[in-house]
Amino acid sequence: MIEETKIVSKVEPSLAEQIGAKAARKLKAQRNATPGVWFGLGLMGVVGWSVVVPTLLGAALGLWLDRSYPGGRTWTLALLMAGLTLGCLNAWHWVSKEDEAMREEQENDDE
């Protein structure tokens, strides 16, 4: 009875293996996190504001110029369109940059 053999059951993983598996799952979930509804709404808000702000600034500057130099609403219309164009280009640049970053991140995760 002095010699007793321990039978180690491999059915249940050790504590270290459980912790390692849990950490690996968490890291994988962080890398492959899917954007939620709030991310989409935030993205629409940022894109919207990047178009609206230059448009309103152009219109305000045009109104000021039309009041300072009478002659119709030519400055207001011209700067409104310039602000809208600048805002759309800004939004397009920002969205394409975000899309490129997301594609690079996806490619890095695939490797």
Side-chain angles (χ1 to χ4, degrees):
M1 284 202 183
I2 296 176
E3 262 183 70
E4 291 184 17
T5 31
K6 283 188 174 178
I7 300 175
V8 178
S9 174
K10 287 290 183 182
V11 175
E12 192 172 312
S14 68
L15 181 62
E17 290 171 346
Q18 289 177 355
I19 292 172
K22 193 172 187 177
R25 280 194 305 268
K26 282 185 179 183
L27 288 173
K28 185 177 180 184
Q30 286 175 351
R31 280 194 307 265
N32 299 331
T34 56
V37 174
W38 292 112
F39 177 78
L41 290 174
L43 182 65
M44 285 189 332
V46 167
V47 170
W49 281 109
S50 69
V51 173
V52 167
V53 169
T55 303
L56 291 178
L57 289 175
L61 181 62
L63 283 171
W64 178 77
L65 285 172
D66 282 337
R67 274 192 229 127
S68 299
Y69 305 104
R73 298 279 182 205
T74 56
W75 283 111
T76 302
L77 292 174
L79 291 177
L80 178 75
M81 291 305 295
L84 181 62
T85 303
L86 182 66
C88 288
L89 288 173
N90 185 24
W92 174 75
H93 176 71
W94 191 82
V95 168
S96 66
K97 190 170 99 174
E98 286 295 315
D99 183 50
E100 182 180 327
M102 285 173 28
R103 287 179 194 265
E104 285 179 9
E105 183 178 320
Q106 189 176 27
E107 286 175 4
N108 290 339
D109 287 344
D110 289 344
E111 292 176 354

